[in-house]
Amino acid sequence: LERRPLTTKAVTAGALMGLGDFLAQSIEHQRTPGEQKLLAEHKASRELEKEVEEYRKSGFWESYDWMRTGRMAATGLFVVGPALHGWYGLLDKVVKVQGSARKVALVKLGLDQGLFAPAIIAAVYVAMGVMEGKGPDGIKESFRESYWDAFKMNYVIWPLGNYFNFRYVPAEYRVLYASTLSLMWNTILSNVRNYQESAGKEPLEIEAGPGAMVP
């Protein structure tokens, strides 16, 4: 970490985003028949109902989307990890507030959630869309379908987590702390981002407990 901080943080982010996608696909595969039925009825689509039923019956590894996991891991490696490394370093240089550690942490948290969070979530959507071969219209459609869901979920998970990060965690370990905390977020983000890959699908709502890659 001391010799190659950027590389270490980028690789960690990539690994955890890939693991988050694996967990997301595991959750998706284990949807109950009741959930699938409600989903199909909501869309009033026999084609979708047939699709989810076939998916349910298939073996997990037979239907596993390795390319999707690879795209998530690459996004963590080349986008999220380096962005977090640069952003946390910038906050430490720019935020020179006089006062208690609590005040400094709150200022950093406000900047993080007000500026960085919406931008990095958008960057993930763009990166994933490019790797999926989507053009500008396809990427816009992904934003329209689920960006707002991901954005709202961010505020369920990250304010408390990053407040602790900015107040108590040493600067050199903040990206690693965020990476560890991010595993639940990566799972949710992958599900929200990917569940509508085919026309007519909607993201599955996962009830998140305390705990993106993306902050």
Side-chain angles (χ1 to χ4, degrees):
L1 181 61
E2 293 181 359
R3 294 180 59 187
R4 297 183 176 87
L6 176 58
T7 301
T8 301
K9 294 168 187 176
V11 170
T12 301
L16 286 170
M17 288 196 75
L19 180 57
D21 182 70
F22 169 80
L23 294 176
Q25 292 196 52
S26 300
I27 292 170
E28 290 163 15
H29 193 79
Q30 295 302 319
R31 289 191 181 111
T32 66
E35 289 174 323
Q36 295 165 355
K37 182 178 179 181
L38 287 173
L39 176 61
E41 288 177 349
H42 177 66
K43 281 305 178 181
S45 167
R46 292 193 176 188
E47 182 180 348
L48 177 58
E49 187 174 7
K50 181 179 178 181
E51 182 179 336
V52 293
E53 181 63 22
E54 290 177 351
Y55 181 74
R56 177 72 175 177
K57 291 179 179 178
S58 66
F60 175 68
W61 295 113
E62 293 175 7
S63 59
Y64 190 83
D65 188 345
W66 290 101
M67 290 298 294
R68 171 177 146 178
T69 298
R71 289 191 294 267
M72 286 293 289
T75 300
L77 177 64
F78 296 111
V79 178
V80 177
L84 283 172
H85 172 75
W87 173 247
Y88 285 163
L90 179 64
L91 282 179
D92 288 336
K93 292 179 181 179
V94 171
V95 178
K96 303 294 183 182
V97 179
Q98 298 297 322
S100 65
R102 178 176 179 271
K103 183 177 180 181
V104 173
L106 287 173
V107 171
K108 289 182 176 180
L109 180 63
L111 292 172
D112 183 71
Q113 293 299 300
L115 299 177
F116 185 71
I120 193 61
I121 295 172
V124 168
Y125 270 65
V126 171
M128 291 290 291
V130 169
M131 286 187 285
E132 290 166 353
K134 294 180 178 179
D137 291 340
I139 293 174
K140 288 180 183 178
E141 183 66 14
S142 294
F143 270 82
R144 186 191 67 78
E145 289 177 333
S146 65
Y147 176 83
W148 182 239
D149 292 323
F151 185 70
K152 289 186 293 184
M153 190 61 70
N154 166 80
Y155 289 110
V156 173
I157 296 172
W158 281 102
L160 181 60
N162 267 348
Y163 174 76
F164 181 89
N165 196 7
F166 291 131
R167 182 166 184 180
Y168 298 110
V169 179
E172 62 269 26
Y173 296 113
R174 284 176 186 156
V175 171
L176 296 183
Y177 165 85
S179 297
T180 303
L181 183 63
S182 73
L183 188 55
M184 177 181 291
W185 167 248
N186 293 336
T187 304
I188 293 170
L189 180 62
S190 179
N191 180 271
V192 171
R193 170 62 183 72
N194 287 288
Y195 189 59
Q196 70 286 351
E197 285 181 349
S198 299
K201 288 186 178 179
E202 287 188 344
L204 172 68
E205 292 187 3
I206 300 176
E207 184 178 348
M213 170 47 52
V214 183

